Amino acid sequence: MNRLGILIFVLIVILSSVVRANDPLPSWNTGPTKTSIINFVKRATTKGNPEYVSPPQRVATFDNDGTLWSEKPVYFQLQFAIDRIKALAAKHPEWKTEQPFKTILEEERKALTSLSAKDMMILLMTTHAGTTTKEFKKTVRAWLETARHPRFNRPYTELVFQPMLELLAYLRANGFKTYIVSGGGIEFLRVFAEDVYGIPPEQVIGSSIKTKFEIRKGKPVIVRLPEIDFIDDKAGKPVAINKFIGRHPVAAFGNSDGDLQMLQWTTAGHGARFALLVHHTDAKREWAYDRQSRVGHLNVALDEAKLRGWTVVDMKRDWKTIYPFQR
């Protein structure tokens, strides 16, 4: 290569580095999806723009399962409950014949994806209640440190979506306050949300069981009870947002019919509004599923997105990479 060729090559490398440094969403492929996100942020943050949103009103809400991290082959918190059942089985010989415990102990993988809502609540109540909040947090943290995903053989906290991590950072850099609004358990999520997503515990909303204050061994504790307090899913999501945030979001992100009402409510307001669905279309790097899936069922919301002009991420087309460890 002559001197001119070397110079051109060096300039190309430098320019490429500058472009990457100035790109707030480097793991997103150039296209209408990425453009829609950047255009929304510009409209919402440019003073003088008719759709300008003042900083206190810049609230963005995110579902977790299937939106910020994967949710296959079963919801990760359900896998935590399954592993807890196995760990506690020696103290409960009756579980060998009782459902849904029998299914868990016999490791009937296909049956796990068909567990009813009632079965899942039984599992969650059995494994999530009876301890103090401090003890529960310790148990969750230990599981996250040792459990490995069956397909990727990596910690579950590494199964987060790199493009969504970039999106969270991009929004916060532009004055948005990011919240998790998930059907998952609030105290389960709070164990890792700040470390993984940069979202502090007070900005996590999720389903919850009832708790009570007690004095144990002379010390005050909060005890988790085997009783449902609130289910943060579907119509429960906008109710929870109103109750705990007290502001109308201007942006909402989900991946399933369980997020539909959150997106509907968010886009019903005036000014700049944005709704996005993560559509799982990449069977090679992650999974491909939507209308027929029991986990992350996306049917009505997918149709409504087309009618309302919501942004739909085609994971296979729009994301250069899925997980941080694939970069």
Side-chain angles (χ1 to χ4, degrees):
M1 183 182 295
N2 58 30
R3 292 179 65 183
L4 178 60
I6 293 174
L7 179 60
I8 293 173
F9 175 76
V10 171
L11 287 174
I12 291 173
V13 172
I14 292 173
L15 288 172
S16 298
S17 298
V18 170
V19 169
R20 285 195 297 271
N22 292 331
D23 186 353
L25 303 172
S27 294
W28 295 69
N29 286 314
T30 300
T33 300
K34 182 175 181 176
T35 299
S36 71
I37 296 170
I38 293 174
N39 285 346
F40 161 72
V41 172
K42 287 181 178 178
R43 296 198 318 273
T45 59
T46 301
K47 288 186 177 181
N49 187 299
E51 294 185 292
Y52 174 74
V53 178
S54 64
Q57 302 297 326
R58 293 177 197 169
V59 171
T61 56
F62 288 77
D63 170 56
N64 182 56
D65 295 307
T67 301
L68 293 179
W69 71 357
S70 290
E71 57 186 353
K72 293 281 188 175
V74 296
Y75 296 119
F76 295 176
Q77 188 172 1
L78 177 57
Q79 186 61 56
F80 165 73
I82 289 170
D83 289 346
R84 289 297 296 156
I85 291 295
K86 293 177 180 179
L88 298 170
K91 298 180 180 179
H92 297 275
E94 70 278 9
W95 287 353
K96 293 181 179 180
T97 57
E98 291 181 6
Q99 291 290 10
F101 308 104
K102 184 175 183 291
T103 295
I104 302 301
L105 297 177
E106 292 179 354
E107 299 188 1
E108 298 175 17
R109 178 58 62 178
K110 289 185 179 180
L112 292 179
T113 62
S114 300
L115 287 173
S116 67
K118 180 180 178 181
D119 288 337
M120 286 192 280
M121 290 314 303
I122 290 173
L123 293 174
L124 293 176
M125 289 301 95
T126 302
T127 58
H128 287 42
T131 63
T132 67
T133 52
K134 184 177 181 179
E135 290 167 342
F136 181 73
K137 181 178 179 179
K138 183 179 180 180
T139 301
V140 173
R141 191 172 294 281
W143 181 79
L144 290 172
E145 290 174 352
T146 59
R148 295 294 181 270
H149 189 273
R151 175 179 172 183
F152 295 98
N153 193 33
R154 287 181 174 270
Y156 284 87
T157 48
E158 290 187 16
L159 273 291
V160 297
F161 301 140
Q162 177 64 29
M164 297 303 284
L165 295 179
E166 294 169 1
L167 177 55
L168 286 168
Y170 177 48
L171 289 173
R172 289 195 287 262
N174 283 276
F176 285 83
K177 200 169 185 177
T178 54
Y179 290 81
I180 290 176
V181 181
S182 171
I186 186 169
E187 292 188 50
F188 180 85
L189 289 162
R190 284 175 170 171
V191 172
F192 64 89
E194 189 161 26
D195 292 339
V196 175
Y197 302 133
I199 298 178
E202 65 270 19
Q203 288 168 222
V204 175
I205 299 171
S207 298
S208 58
I209 61 176
K210 291 185 177 181
T211 57
K212 70 174 182 177
F213 174 85
E214 285 186 4
I215 299 294
R216 289 188 175 182
K217 297 180 180 180
K219 294 183 179 181
V221 295
I222 303 296
V223 179
R224 295 166 58 79
L225 305 176
E227 187 176 349
I228 293 294
D229 177 44
F230 182 76
I231 300 297
D232 187 44
D233 196 32
K234 299 180 180 178
K237 290 196 172 189
V239 169
I241 291 168
N242 180 67
K243 181 177 181 179
F244 296 108
I245 300 176
R247 292 188 186 276
H248 201 140
V250 296
F253 305 81
N255 80 295
S256 73
D257 285 355
D259 305 309
L260 173 62
Q261 290 85 349
M262 179 172 71
L263 272 62
Q264 288 174 327
W265 192 57
T266 297
T267 54
H270 298 292
R273 299 280 156 170
F274 188 78
L276 179 147
L277 284 170
V278 175
H279 190 188
H280 295 258
T281 58
D282 198 323
K284 183 177 181 180
R285 295 184 298 172
E286 205 244 7
W287 284 271
Y289 60 96
D290 45 45
R291 299 181 190 275
Q292 304 303 319
S293 178
R294 290 183 61 87
V295 176
H297 181 76
L298 177 61
N299 184 29
V300 178
L302 188 59
D303 291 335
E304 187 145 348
K306 295 178 182 178
L307 294 174
R308 292 176 174 264
W310 296 344
T311 295
V312 178
V313 171
D314 183 321
M315 188 180 284
K316 185 176 182 179
R317 179 196 67 198
D318 292 323
W319 288 358
K320 294 179 182 178
T321 188
I322 305 294
Y323 304 117
F325 60 82
Q326 292 176 334
R327 288 183 296 172

